[in-house]
Structures are given as C-alpha cells and as structure tokens.
Amino acid sequence: QVQLVESGGGLVQAGGSLRVSCAVSGSNFSTSDMGWYRQAPGQKREWVARISSRGIGFYDVSVKGRFTISRDNALNTVYLQMRSLKPEDTAVYYCNLIPPSVIWGQGTQVTVSS
C-alpha cells in the first residue's frame, strides 16, 4: 500500500521561501499524477497543486505564480517550492496521489510569520 512521508516544513517570515518534499512508496509513482494539499487550523484540507505523470503542473489560484510543483521519478519524490510566502499559507502540507489515496502521511508544518 502507498506510503507518503512529507518533510521540509518550518518557520519562515512573510515573503520568504521554503521547499517541502514528499517521498512516496508502494505505488506506481512514475505513472501517477501527484498532488499537494494543505490544512490550516480549523479549516478543511484543500488542494494546492498537482503534477501530471509527464511533469505538467496545475495550481490553485491562491498559489499560482508563487508555488512550483515538481517531481523526480528516479527518487519517487514530489516537491513543492514555495516563494513569496504569506501568513495565510500557514498550514500542514500533505502530498497524495490524484485522486488521493485513503492513506495520508503525517504532513509537514509550514508556519509563515507576519
């Protein structure tokens, strides 16, 4: 079964940058579309970005132009490069397949201070 391990979160000032990573196992990673999601305190989990198996990225309007999703099929890893971070980007960030597996990782906390 799929296993998802997110890492790379942290505390950053508004306007700063951060890159989070997700190591994936137990799936046909290279042929799977992958996505990043986030959940802010008291909010529902929301979709942020996705990348096709061919490497084409799609973004929610709230992050378009600031976030970049990428993947390394040799490492079974998907990345999310975040720039020009805002306090409203504060959340736990998760990766998952598209459509998402019922299994989720522990996520990685991203906190943006104003």
Side-chain angles (χ1 to χ4, degrees):
Q1 63 187 28
V2 66
Q3 290 187 323
L4 306 155
V5 180
E6 300 90 349
S7 62
L11 173 64
V12 63
Q13 289 188 334
S17 299
L18 205 60
R19 189 180 79 159
V20 292
S21 304
C22 175
V24 183
S25 60
S27 75
N28 294 323
F29 179 82
S30 63
T31 60
S32 300
D33 289 10
M34 295 296 303
W36 279 98
Y37 306 78
R38 66 186 180 187
Q39 187 168 18
Q43 304 294 318
K44 292 182 178 180
R45 188 175 293 161
E46 63 179 6
W47 169 78
V48 174
R50 67 180 286 175
I51 186 166
S52 72
S53 59
R54 296 187 176 186
I56 300 172
F58 303 88
Y59 303 91
D60 181 79
V61 62
S62 64
V63 306
K64 193 171 185 178
R66 300 187 299 120
F67 290 12
T68 303
I69 189 170
S70 61
R71 66 191 297 159
D72 186 332
N73 288 343
L75 296 178
N76 281 12
T77 300
V78 59
Y79 306 96
L80 186 68
Q81 176 69 52
M82 303 179 285
R83 299 181 177 88
S84 301
L85 282 161
K86 306 175 182 180
E88 51 263 44
D89 295 318
T90 294
V92 179
Y93 283 71
Y94 302 88
C95 75
N96 211 321
L97 282 72
I98 300 288
S101 163
V102 296
I103 298 171
W104 292 82
Q106 82 289 348
T108 186
Q109 175 70 50
V110 172
T111 303
V112 184
S113 64
S114 57

